[in-house]
């Protein structure tokens, strides 16, 4: 008899995201079990408990999803879970902390639809958050010139860039965006602007980019009014920002592709093939394939 499909939802946070629970059920998992406040050193024990309670065939009907808000910790947890496995007791994992991996992947896939990422100069506002950081990693891997825009001070953003570069082996720049003049300067050389700042905060006004001769695409992940970028509302989906030649991409267009991407990745966890360990680069590939 075919074993029921089980997804173990692991998070270092107090609660598991209801969004991820709903997504997992809609993807076909029959049983969803949350594990909250999980420490990194607990992953081996949890993983092996899940392994040894099923046969090698039954284990293909379960997987681990890793949430939280910290992308580094989520990936460390994924590595720990993978390291605890051995053949034939091995199964798939998927890391998507705060939905950052699938959101960033969808955002850049939508940008790439209009402007190929390779060789673009991409300015990221809200670059220290999980979505902005993931955008930086994916864009750098695609051959873009990535610039993290400092909104408080350059030193703290530089420290964040240094940490990302050391861990992931990417090349990132830090630029000043702490005032109106600095934002204008950033957007005079960037070709793509990404807004991944906190919800409900207007980061870029039209005065910041109206005179830019370089910007081709602006994408904003904020679905809460006001939008992060003036003229880019949640429904924007490749239309021109008013009085400019700049393509705008809004939160709902990004969110729809994010939903499809996450559902696709969750469904892959139940395939009969070799175990997969899915993260942000996989999410980007799937997002591009589902445009």
């Amino acid at each position: 008899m075919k074993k029921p499909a089980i997804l173990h939802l692991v998070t270092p946070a107090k609660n598991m995201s209801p969004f991820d629970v709903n997504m997992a059920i809609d993807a076909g998992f029959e049983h969803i079990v949350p594990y909250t406040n999980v420490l990194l050193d607990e992953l081996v024990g949890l993983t092996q408990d899940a392994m040894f309670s099923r046969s090698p065939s039954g284990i293909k009907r379960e997987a681990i999803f890793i949430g939280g808000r910290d992308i580094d910790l989520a990936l460390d947890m994924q590595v720990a879970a993978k390291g605890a496995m051995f053949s034939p007791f091995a199964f798939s994992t998927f890391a998507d902390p705060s939905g950052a991996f699938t959101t960033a992947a969808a955002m850049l896939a939508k940008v790439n639809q209009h402007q190929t990422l390779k060789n673009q100069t991409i300015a990221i506002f809200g670059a220290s958050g999980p979505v902005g950081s993931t955008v930086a990693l994916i864009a750098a891997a695609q051959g873009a010139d990535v610039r993290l825009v400092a909104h408080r001070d350059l030193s703290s953003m530089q420290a964040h860039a240094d940490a990302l570069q050391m861990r992931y082996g990417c090349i990132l720049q830090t630029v000043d965006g702490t005032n109106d003049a600095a934002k204008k300067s950033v957007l005079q050389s960037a070709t793509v602007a990404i807004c991944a700042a906190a919800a409900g905060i207007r980061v870029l006004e039209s005065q910041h980019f109206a005179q830019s001769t370089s910007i081709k695409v602006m994408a904003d992940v904020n679905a809460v009014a006001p939008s992060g970028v003036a003229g880019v509302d949640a429904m924007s989906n490749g239309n021109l920002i008013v009085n400019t030649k700049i393509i705008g991409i809004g939160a709902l267009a990004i969110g729809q592709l994010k939903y499809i991407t996450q559902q696709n990745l969750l469904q892959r966890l139940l395939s009969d093939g070799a175990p997969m360990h899915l993260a942000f680069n996989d999410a980007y590939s799937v997002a591009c394939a589902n445009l």
Side-chain angles (χ1 to χ4, degrees):
M1 185 175 70
K2 196 172 187 179
K3 295 283 188 181
I6 302 172
L7 186 64
H8 303 283
L9 295 177
V10 176
T11 178
K14 178 182 177 182
N15 297 302
M16 176 53 69
S17 166
F19 186 100
D20 295 327
V21 173
N22 291 350
M23 289 292 295
I25 291 172
D26 290 346
F29 283 93
E30 297 160 272
H31 299 284
I32 317 295
V33 186
Y35 306 78
T36 59
N37 294 306
V38 177
L39 302 176
L40 176 59
D41 62 9
E42 295 176 313
L43 257 293
V44 170
L46 289 172
T47 301
Q48 293 184 341
D49 274 356
M51 288 163 49
F52 296 138
S53 55
R54 276 188 162 179
S55 66
S57 60
I59 206 171
K60 292 178 184 273
R61 298 284 293 165
E62 66 178 310
I64 289 177
F65 178 94
I66 301 169
R69 288 195 57 80
D70 185 323
I71 67 172
D72 293 342
L73 179 55
L75 291 171
D76 286 342
M77 285 184 160
Q78 187 176 42
V79 168
K82 181 181 177 182
M85 302 175 191
F86 52 85
S87 182
F89 296 97
F91 56 96
S92 296
T93 66
F94 173 22
D96 193 17
S98 269
F101 291 175
T102 47
T103 299
M107 198 176 200
L108 285 177
K110 294 295 290 186
V111 170
N112 188 68
Q113 190 176 25
H114 299 282
Q115 199 77 20
T116 303
L117 296 182
K118 187 175 182 180
N119 298 324
Q120 298 302 317
T121 300
I122 300 181
I124 305 172
F125 295 81
S128 60
V131 173
S133 298
T134 306
V135 165
L137 297 177
I138 296 173
Q142 294 300 311
D145 173 7
V146 179
R147 300 179 180 181
L148 311 187
V149 183
H151 62 285
R152 290 194 182 93
D153 61 87
L154 274 170
S155 59
S156 59
M157 187 59 76
Q158 186 61 57
H160 181 64
D162 290 344
L164 290 176
Q165 290 181 122
M166 182 174 294
R167 179 182 174 105
Y168 298 99
C170 54
I171 298 175
L172 306 171
Q173 295 184 52
T174 301
V175 294
D176 183 20
T178 57
N179 54 58
D180 289 338
K183 290 177 182 179
K184 288 180 181 179
S185 179
V186 169
L187 297 178
Q188 280 294 341
S189 57
T191 56
V192 174
I194 297 291
C195 187
I201 297 176
R202 175 61 55 79
V203 177
L204 296 173
E205 299 287 357
S206 58
Q207 61 162 314
H208 296 133
F209 56 83
Q211 302 304 314
S212 174
T213 57
S214 62
I215 288 287
K216 306 299 182 186
V217 182
M218 304 184 81
D220 175 31
V221 77
N222 173 28
V224 179
S227 62
V229 180
V232 180
D233 62 31
M235 298 296 292
S236 298
N237 190 15
N239 50 295
L240 295 180
I241 299 173
V242 176
N243 297 324
T244 76
K245 294 182 180 180
I246 302 170
I247 291 170
I249 302 170
L252 292 184
I254 295 166
Q256 183 179 28
L257 182 56
K258 178 261 194 301
Y259 177 92
I260 293 169
T261 300
Q262 185 172 349
Q263 185 174 61
N264 186 296
L265 290 167
L266 284 166
Q267 289 170 340
R268 290 187 181 197
L269 299 178
L270 288 173
S271 68
D272 291 330
M276 295 173 285
H277 302 284
L278 307 172
F280 55 84
N281 285 323
D282 305 285
Y284 179 68
S285 296
V286 169
C288 288
N290 282 278
L291 285 169

